[in-house]
Amino acid sequence: MPEAVELDLILIGFGHVGRRFVRLLDERRDALRAEAGTIARVVGVATARHGCAFDPAGLDATAAAARVEGGGSLADLSPAPPAGALDLIARARASARPSVVVETTVLDVRAGQPAIDHVRAAIAAGAHVVTANKGPAAFAYHDLAAAARAAGVAFLFEGAVMDGIPIFNLVRETMPLVRIEGFRGVINTTTNQILAGLERGEAFDTVLARMQAAGIAEADPSLDLNGWDAAAKTAALANVLMDARLTPHAIQRTGIGPAIAAPAKAALARGRRLKLVASAERRAGTVAGRVEPIELPAGDVLAGLDGPANALVLKTDLLGEVTIVQGAGDLTQTAYALVSDLVAVRRRLGAPPPASGRRTP
Ligand SMILES: NC(=O)c1ccc[n+]([C@@H]2O[C@H](COP(=O)([O-])OP(=O)(O)OC[C@H]3O[C@@H](n4cnc5c(N)ncnc54)[C@H](OP(=O)(O)O)[C@@H]3O)[C@@H](O)[C@H]2O)c1
């Protein structure tokens, strides 16, 4: 059994993903300690409209989640609540234990903010970063990864694409020397559910409302429908796996709306399926990315995906095509991605730190 290391968690964002994350930590507390040598203690939470809290001795995070769900504020949970996310992150500097900033604010497709500032501040404070937000890897991957390397901290974002399915880890950890030549995939659950629902004759708005109620659609669902979410994932995948320098704005993007019902049904009648396909390829020394509805033949692995399923086909030089299929993504899987990144941070730390002071990984 690995010796347990205590990690101070600072949660920036406490919405659907952040709250499922703290409950999953609670559900798996014993396994985290016994199998991964990790004791995770939430010491701070920052939100936009529900206040902030900080207690170096640890907060009752599941009670805080219930409070937010009841419409309450976190502001009176601690004697000196932080003024906001950056104030809270700065408090990591004073901790004797390794700190991990867990960034789950909403995706901003204009510039990836404020998540990028949160990640930069965390790295500057000597904290590790785990995030489910696509913004940092989609807009600033190379800068942030270099800053994290220089500071000796982790910058991990497994939950940003395909929830808890280990896409980035798969390539990073298990495909040494392999060059990713391109990829194509169905990587936005909301639009895939809508297209499948339209094939069944359901109304566009009905399926969208279901996705919103389940917390799967983005806070602003137009990000899913207009292809921005898929474009952000495409940029993140290309930047990390193909060493590209893309932002979501560089991705050629076509989304879907209610008018896609007729072509989706017509495709199905021909034994084919309409899917919102995200792809990237190397072209003339650079990487080009696209998101667009494409009618696929029945034999295509992407055509076989039912509503909640996602899949990514990696085109590689040494392994040919490697396909990873996710049967259904939900909040638990995104929360699991954050937990798995936390365990990765713990592994980097090696043996427990000495009693006095922070250990450099
Ligand atoms: N939901 C999914 O299935 C899923 C899957 C994969 C990845 N993601 C990504 O995970 C992230 C979180 O998603 P979610 O569904 O949890 O979103 P959400 O429910 O809208 O929660 C977002 C949280 O961020 C907080 N926030 C926004 N701006 C902030 C700021 N400047 N400082 C501090 N807190 C701030 C919000 O505060 P208030 O509560 O006060 O508004 C809220 O607590 C997004 O980037 C999303 O793209 C989500």
Side-chain angles (χ1 to χ4, degrees), residues 139-162:
F139 283 91
Y141 169 68
H142 294 284
D143 281 357
L144 296 174
R149 259 194 313 277
V153 296
F155 165 46
L156 300 171
F157 38 79
E158 197 56 73
V161 180
M162 288 180 82

Side-chain angles (χ1 to χ4, degrees), residues 111 113 116-117 119-121 123-124 129 135-155 157 239-240 243-247:
Q113 292 292 12
I116 292 172
D117 284 348
V119 175
R120 275 193 217 290
I123 293 169
V129 180
F139 283 91
Y141 169 68
H142 294 284
D143 281 357
L144 296 174
R149 259 194 313 277
V153 296
F155 165 46
F157 38 79
N239 291 342
V240 179
D243 198 28
R245 301 294 192 275
L246 296 178
T247 74

Side-chain angles (χ1 to χ4, degrees), residues 47-334:
T47 72
R49 297 163 301 146
H50 294 88
C52 302
F54 175 72
D55 184 343
L59 295 162
D60 182 342
T62 51
R67 185 184 277 232
V68 167
E69 281 156 5
S73 167
L74 306 178
D76 63 348
L77 286 183
S78 54
L86 294 175
D87 183 22
L88 173 59
I89 292 168
R91 299 185 185 198
R93 290 179 194 279
S95 175
R97 290 179 290 273
S99 297
V100 183
V101 168
V102 181
E103 218 288 348
T104 60
T105 63
V106 286
L107 170 67
D108 156 51
V109 287
R110 278 164 306 155
Q113 292 292 12
I116 292 172
D117 284 348
H118 295 158
V119 175
R120 275 193 217 290
I123 293 169
H128 304 276
V129 180
V130 311
T131 181
N133 193 321
K134 295 159 272 287
F139 283 91
Y141 169 68
H142 294 284
D143 281 357
L144 296 174
R149 259 194 313 277
V153 296
F155 165 46
L156 300 171
F157 38 79
E158 197 56 73
V161 180
M162 288 180 82
D163 307 314
I165 301 300
I167 288 294
F168 297 109
N169 283 331
L170 178 78
V171 175
R172 191 189 292 124
E173 303 294 333
T174 70
M175 296 189 184
L177 310 185
V178 167
R179 179 176 155 97
I180 306 296
E181 301 292 3
F183 60 81
R184 61 189 196 98
V186 168
I187 53 178
N188 178 269
T189 303
T190 299
T191 48
N192 202 39
Q193 291 267 35
I194 288 174
L195 286 169
L198 295 175
E199 287 174 343
R200 288 191 301 269
E202 283 190 89
F204 191 95
D205 289 344
T206 306
V207 193
L208 176 57
R210 203 159 61 230
M211 295 296 97
Q212 288 178 296
I216 289 171
E218 285 294 324
D220 171 2
S222 69
L223 293 180
D224 294 304
L225 304 179
N226 295 339
W228 279 115
D229 173 77
K233 289 169 176 167
T234 302
L237 286 165
N239 291 342
V240 179
L241 303 182
M242 301 174 73
D243 198 28
R245 301 294 192 275
L246 296 178
T247 74
H249 300 277
I251 306 298
Q252 199 177 319
R253 182 180 49 81
T254 308
I256 66 164
I260 201 98
K265 283 185 195 157
L268 189 67
R270 287 192 293 273
R272 297 163 72 90
R273 297 192 80 188
L274 199 62
K275 296 289 177 191
L276 190 69
V277 176
S279 62
E281 62 181 348
R282 296 189 189 278
R283 198 189 293 157
T286 64
V287 175
R290 302 163 76 94
V291 171
E292 59 195 333
I294 298 182
E295 191 180 308
L296 300 170
D300 189 307
V301 66
L302 300 183
L305 299 172
D306 279 324
N310 281 198
L312 187 70
V313 182
L314 297 174
K315 300 172 188 175
T316 79
D317 60 347
L318 296 175
L319 294 173
E321 289 196 348
V322 176
T323 303
I324 186 157
V325 179
Q326 176 186 33
D330 62 17
L331 283 174
T332 297
Q333 296 180 5
T334 306

